[in-house]
């Protein structure tokens, strides 16, 4: 029996699993921890989003060693939501007071000398409290009313050889200022900084025809192109920006919402030169205790999507191959399962 040749298809999925979240004021806050600022400066992608303003009832605040009590109120458009939380905040055993000044959307903790040892948005502390909750039955209603972030804008910052990070870009960002200006008073803005620490190349091998024919030679050349070395970081940033915009359809983005991907787009030339079949991302925000959503996407801690670089009808075998998120994660963790 004559052995069949192979048709090998390739897809690149970038993992976005180490995102960090900042308040807009933090862009100019010199008190940001050095290690956090260093990582933030390495991020080249960012999301700008909003959620209902969370305030705290100042009369409910108490601190006992590292155990904190607070009652949070979320100003939704429909009705007020209230939740009372008890949580442990390691490293704050020296705090003897916790307070919140008007309009009570910021918490401050002070030591016995009155020196401020911690400060943050009320919703930040609520998210931290929810991260310590084991039951989804308890946390999901709170997430829905308080913490889910609506994505308004996706942006990138790169510069020559990655010289420009998201922090630098956002410090003079007209769209961010517009979002802040147009945001209703009962909403608060947040920035999620993203970086792709790793990418996974997926392969799908489909038997077809006989070995040794012209199509088989073309398949070998396809393999060489796809495996000709790692993608440049700038290329990864470009295709991730397009994927994120197409997926979330943010209202403040104009470009790429309907057109990504395009073979004529110069930033994606390398993807097409290698004849990759699809690109996509896996985004996880569970560590931020915050779900992302948009008018097109339901709230979730995990988002996985892949977009074809060619006619989907010609490449549908590849989509069947990576259709399930659990299969995707299993294949990423077990490289031997990719072939």
């Amino acid at each position: 029996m004559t052995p069949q040749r192979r048709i090998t298809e390739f897809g690149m999925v970038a993992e976005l699993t180490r995102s960090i979240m900042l308040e807009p004021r933090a862009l100019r806050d010199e008190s940001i921890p050095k290690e956090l600022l260093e990582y933030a400066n390495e991020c080249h992608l960012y999301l700008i989003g909003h959620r209902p303003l969370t305030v705290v009832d100042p009369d409910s605040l108490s601190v006992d060693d590292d155990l904190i009590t607070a009652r949070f109120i979320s100003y939704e458009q429909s009705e007020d939501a209230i939740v009372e939380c008890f949580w442990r905040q390691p490293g704050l055993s020296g705090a003897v007071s916790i307070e919140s000044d008007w309009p009570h959307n910021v918490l401050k903790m002070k030591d016995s000398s009155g020196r401020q040892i911690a400060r943050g948005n009320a919703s930040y502390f609520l998210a931290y409290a929810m991260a310590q909750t084991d039951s989804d039955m308890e946390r999901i209603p709170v997430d829905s009313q308080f913490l889910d972030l609506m994505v308004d804008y996706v942006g990138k910052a790169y510069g020559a050889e990655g010289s420009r990070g998201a922090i630098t870009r956002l410090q003079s960002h007209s769209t961010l200022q517009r979002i802040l200006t147009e945001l209703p008073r009962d909403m608060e803005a947040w920035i999620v900084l993203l970086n792709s620490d790793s990418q996974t190349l997926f392969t799908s091998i489909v038997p077809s025809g006989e070995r040794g024919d012209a199509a088989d030679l073309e398949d070998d050349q396809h393999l060489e192109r796809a495996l000709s070395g790692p993608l440049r970081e700038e290329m990864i940033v470009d295709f991730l920006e397009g994927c994120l915009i197409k997926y979330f359809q943010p209202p403040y983005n104009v470009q790429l919402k309907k057109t990504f991907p395009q073979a004529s787009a110069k930033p994606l030339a390398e993807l097409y030169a290698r004849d990759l079949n699809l690109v996509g991302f896996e985004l996880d925000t569970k560590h931020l205790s915050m779900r992302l959503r948009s008018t097109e996407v339901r709230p979730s801690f995990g988002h996985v999507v892949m977009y074809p670089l060619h006619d989907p009808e010609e490449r549908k075998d590849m989509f069947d191959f990576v259709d399930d998120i659990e299969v995707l994660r299993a294949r990423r963790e077990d490289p031997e399962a990719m072939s």
Side-chain angles (χ1 to χ4, degrees), residues 245-259:
I245 290 173
K246 189 175 183 70
Y247 179 67
F248 286 110
Q249 293 287 303
Y252 284 86
N253 284 98
V254 177
Q255 306 294 327
L256 305 178
K257 292 169 75 169
K258 302 298 182 183
T259 59

Side-chain angles (χ1 to χ4, degrees), residues 3 8 19 113 167-168 187 214 230 241 271:
T8 308
S19 51
S113 66
I167 290 288
T168 303
M187 295 289 169
E241 180 196 30
L271 297 179

Side-chain angles (χ1 to χ4, degrees), residues 46-150:
Y46 53 90
L47 311 176
I48 301 173
H50 74 274
R51 62 189 180 193
L53 178 68
T54 295
V55 300
V56 66
D57 177 359
D59 295 331
S60 71
L61 295 172
S62 68
V63 55
D64 181 8
D65 195 19
D66 65 349
L67 181 64
I68 299 172
T69 302
R71 183 182 301 111
F72 297 96
I73 304 170
S74 173
Y75 288 99
E76 296 183 290
Q77 293 182 354
S78 56
E79 59 182 348
D80 294 350
I82 300 174
V83 61
E84 188 161 1
C85 292
F86 307 85
W87 76 96
R88 295 196 176 277
Q89 192 92 18
L92 296 180
S93 57
V96 295
S97 68
I98 179 171
E99 60 187 43
S100 178
D101 299 327
W102 177 261
H104 307 308
N105 63 324
V106 174
L107 294 179
K108 299 177 183 178
M109 299 179 189
K110 298 181 179 180
D111 61 17
S112 56
S113 66
R115 181 178 64 91
Q116 182 173 294
I117 58 176
R119 179 190 186 281
N121 273 33
S123 60
Y124 167 82
F125 287 100
L126 175 58
Y128 190 88
M130 288 297 101
Q132 299 179 27
T133 302
D134 295 327
S135 171
D136 284 345
M137 293 294 291
E138 289 184 48
R139 71 168 300 166
I140 294 303
V142 176
D143 289 336
S144 299
Q145 294 175 315
F146 290 81
L147 301 176
D148 290 348
L149 194 73
M150 173 73 78

Side-chain angles (χ1 to χ4, degrees), residues 72-327:
F72 297 96
I73 304 170
S74 173
Y75 288 99
E76 296 183 290
Q77 293 182 354
S78 56
E79 59 182 348
D80 294 350
I82 300 174
V83 61
E84 188 161 1
C85 292
F86 307 85
W87 76 96
R88 295 196 176 277
Q89 192 92 18
L92 296 180
S93 57
V96 295
S97 68
I98 179 171
E99 60 187 43
S100 178
D101 299 327
W102 177 261
H104 307 308
N105 63 324
V106 174
L107 294 179
K108 299 177 183 178
M109 299 179 189
K110 298 181 179 180
D111 61 17
S112 56
S113 66
R115 181 178 64 91
Q116 182 173 294
I117 58 176
R119 179 190 186 281
N121 273 33
S123 60
Y124 167 82
F125 287 100
L126 175 58
Y128 190 88
M130 288 297 101
Q132 299 179 27
T133 302
D134 295 327
S135 171
D136 284 345
M137 293 294 291
E138 289 184 48
R139 71 168 300 166
I140 294 303
V142 176
D143 289 336
S144 299
Q145 294 175 315
F146 290 81
L147 301 176
D148 290 348
L149 194 73
M150 173 73 78
V151 177
D152 294 314
Y153 183 80
V154 173
K156 69 175 181 180
Y158 195 79
E161 299 182 358
S163 60
R164 193 182 196 194
I167 290 288
T168 303
R169 174 75 181 95
L170 286 163
Q171 286 174 338
S172 57
H173 197 290
S174 59
T175 303
L176 172 60
Q177 296 307 314
R178 179 185 167 195
I179 292 172
L180 295 177
T181 300
E182 297 179 354
L183 197 65
R185 288 189 174 185
D186 59 353
M187 295 289 169
E188 61 182 30
W190 286 88
I191 299 166
V192 182
L193 303 179
L194 305 170
N195 217 356
S196 177
D197 296 311
S198 59
Q199 302 83 43
T200 300
L201 179 69
F202 291 94
T203 63
S204 174
I205 299 177
V206 183
S208 177
E210 296 184 358
R211 293 285 297 170
D213 60 14
D216 191 45
L217 176 60
E218 182 180 343
D219 218 32
D220 287 335
Q221 294 172 341
H222 183 189
L223 178 64
E224 287 184 22
R225 290 194 298 272
L227 300 179
S228 60
L231 287 173
R232 292 178 295 111
E233 183 181 40
E234 183 178 7
M235 179 65 59
I236 295 169
V237 171
D238 283 337
F239 86 66
L240 279 174
E241 180 196 30
C243 287
L244 288 163
I245 290 173
K246 189 175 183 70
Y247 179 67
F248 286 110
Q249 293 287 303
Y252 284 86
N253 284 98
V254 177
Q255 306 294 327
L256 305 178
K257 292 169 75 169
K258 302 298 182 183
T259 59
F260 179 87
Q262 276 186 325
S264 60
K266 290 184 179 180
L268 301 183
E270 185 175 337
L271 297 179
Y272 285 95
R274 295 196 187 198
D275 198 15
L276 290 176
N277 306 124
L278 63 82
V279 291
F281 66 84
E282 179 180 359
L283 173 57
D284 187 346
T285 58
K286 190 69 176 285
H287 62 291
L288 299 176
S289 195
M290 173 272 302
R291 301 186 301 179
L292 290 172
R293 68 184 182 96
S294 73
T295 55
E296 303 294 326
V297 177
R298 297 180 65 178
S300 177
F301 290 116
H303 299 269
V304 176
V305 68
M306 287 145 283
Y307 291 113
L309 297 178
H310 304 277
D311 186 340
E313 288 302 313
E314 297 176 3
R315 306 292 186 174
K316 59 184 176 182
D317 289 318
M318 188 65 186
F319 306 128
D320 293 339
F321 177 72
V322 291
D323 190 46
D324 192 313
I325 180 174
E326 296 304 326
V327 173

Side-chain angles (χ1 to χ4, degrees), residues 29-39:
D29 192 341
E30 297 181 357
S31 66
I32 297 178
K34 181 180 178 181
E35 60 275 11
L36 179 64
L37 187 60
E38 288 177 351
Y39 181 73

